[in-house]
Amino acid sequence: FQRNCDTIDGYPLLNITFEEHPASDENKLKSTLESNKEWFERNGITWNVLMKSFYEPLFDRNSVDFLMSYICLHWLDTTDLPEGESISHWKTLGDENRTEACDWAHINEATAPLRVQEAWRSKLAINHLAKFLALRARELKPGAEMLLVMVGHPHEFVTLKDGTGPLTRAMKRCIEKGKLRSEILDKTVVPYFLRTVDDVRAAVIVAETFEIDNETPGAKLELIDCRSIAAVTKDDDNGMDGIFDLFWSIHVHCIQAASPTEVELESIKAESRQIFDEVYDSNEGVPSTFVACTLRRRQE
């Protein structure tokens, strides 16, 4: 957000920009904000919407007082691909011949080969976060801070204690039952990486030398704090149905990118729902982790 010099009841007036990926529903976001119009006015807040990827420049240099990214930075920069390639190409990192591409859909699964996980960590997860940090460092005012919260590792939507994650497990069962072509699992990849505190610290170091227009703005950043927070994903009102609906809404577009038929997609959904009943307890919820960090742009 950006701070205005005027005040209301002694508090500064604020202008908040809500950034959202251009593929998202802009009208729905604006409608949600409009429904809270009275609250914004009462608190002296004006707002606007910016439909851009956070992996590109967003604001003018030295213009932002505070920046917060909430539960989205685990998603990677899907423009970081060879020309003409789809996200499925990332399954070749550390596995050029795709010999184990049907063993995983999420890179953080226990069944994803370690060499592939390390390739993702070094070439994608750390570099993409470093790029984000360098971009934002250029936009923050000297002394301004940012708070970043992302889904971290481990999370049982991905990393079940006994191995294969629920999505891969469901797809494998569908293949065994003849309800899904194996090539769909081969092509399915969820383009996010669940980082640890060490991964974030490594990205901050890389950001120091990350060049943007022949500059290294990330060198101006100071990491104030970074920690891992244990949490539980629950839905007290809707139980397992609510938890599964969240899981499916997050992942269905990743499956669709592999071009399954509608019948195949429905089979995956039904099998995934069955697995949720087998491995999770709606009263206990799904164990999860968040990584949160605060950074400040140094005074010049």
Side-chain angles (χ1 to χ4, degrees):
F1 69 71
Q2 295 167 314
R3 183 170 52 191
N4 193 307
C5 293
D6 297 325
T7 63
I8 180 171
D9 295 332
Y11 293 96
L13 302 183
L14 303 176
N15 179 64
I16 299 179
T17 297
F18 292 88
E19 175 271 335
E20 183 57 85
H21 193 278
S24 298
D25 189 335
E26 181 177 3
N27 290 330
K28 185 174 183 180
L29 173 56
K30 287 183 175 179
S31 176
T32 301
L33 294 169
E34 286 286 359
S35 68
N36 291 278
K37 181 179 179 180
E38 292 183 2
W39 183 89
F40 284 118
E41 291 178 348
R42 189 168 60 249
N43 289 278
I45 298 172
T46 56
W47 58 265
N48 62 290
V49 169
L50 180 63
M51 302 299 292
K52 294 181 72 175
S53 166
F54 50 63
Y55 288 115
E56 60 182 306
L58 299 176
F59 308 105
D60 293 337
R61 291 170 181 257
N62 307 318
S63 66
V64 178
D65 293 285
F66 175 77
L67 183 141
M68 180 175 180
S69 176
Y70 188 64
I71 315 183
C72 56
L73 268 174
H74 51 290
W75 291 96
L76 299 172
D77 181 5
T78 54
T79 66
D80 185 11
L81 287 164
E83 186 175 355
E85 290 286 357
S86 68
I87 294 299
S88 175
H89 172 78
W90 284 351
K91 278 201 168 183
T92 67
L93 297 178
D95 186 15
E96 185 175 349
N97 296 319
R98 305 175 74 97
T99 56
E100 295 169 280
C102 282
D103 290 342
W104 59 280
H106 295 89
I107 190 60
N108 295 91
E109 287 184 76
T111 47
L114 286 178
R115 66 183 184 283
V116 180
Q117 290 182 353
E118 288 305 314
W120 274 53
R121 176 177 286 105
S122 61
K123 296 179 181 179
L124 301 178
I126 290 175
N127 282 347
H128 292 185
L129 182 55
K131 178 182 180 180
F132 173 91
L133 294 173
L135 286 166
R136 304 293 82 82
R138 196 165 62 162
E139 298 163 350
L140 289 174
K141 294 179 179 179
E145 297 181 359
M146 56 181 162
L147 172 62
L148 312 178
V149 181
M150 63 200 83
V151 181
H153 180 76
H155 191 301
E156 286 203 11
F157 271 178
V158 177
T159 50
L160 291 175
K161 295 176 181 178
D162 57 347
T164 311
L167 177 58
T168 302
R169 189 175 301 191
M171 295 180 78
K172 281 181 170 289
R173 286 187 184 180
C174 288
I175 292 170
E176 291 170 0
K177 294 177 180 180
K179 296 181 178 181
L180 179 68
R181 291 165 291 157
S182 61
E183 67 190 68
I184 303 302
L185 176 53
D186 179 275
K187 294 178 182 178
T188 297
V189 57
V190 180
Y192 63 60
F193 189 97
L194 305 184
R195 299 182 182 88
T196 64
V197 168
D198 287 343
D199 293 329
V200 173
R201 292 185 181 278
V204 173
I205 293 172
V206 173
E208 294 177 357
T209 57
F210 195 99
E211 288 195 6
I212 299 176
D213 297 334
N214 297 317
E215 299 177 355
T216 54
K220 300 175 181 178
L221 287 178
E222 172 189 6
L223 180 62
I224 301 170
D225 191 15
C226 187
R227 61 185 65 181
S228 179
I229 303 168
V232 174
T233 300
K234 294 183 68 175
D235 188 328
D236 293 330
D237 295 327
N238 300 299
M240 190 58 67
D241 286 339
I243 297 173
F244 178 76
D245 286 347
L246 173 64
F247 170 87
W248 189 251
S249 67
I250 292 170
H251 298 96
V252 62
H253 299 297
C254 304
I255 306 169
Q256 289 172 326
S259 301
T261 65
E262 285 298 318
V263 173
E264 288 176 318
L265 188 63
E266 284 303 312
S267 295
I268 297 168
K269 183 177 182 180
E271 201 67 55
S272 298
R273 183 64 181 83
Q274 176 63 38
I275 288 171
F276 264 59
D277 284 332
E278 294 173 7
V279 301
Y280 301 128
D281 184 327
S282 61
N283 294 319
E284 295 182 0
V286 179
S288 56
T289 303
F290 294 95
V291 174
C293 62
T294 307
L295 299 102
R296 178 187 297 123
R297 178 174 166 176
R298 295 184 178 91
Q299 294 283 0
E300 297 177 350

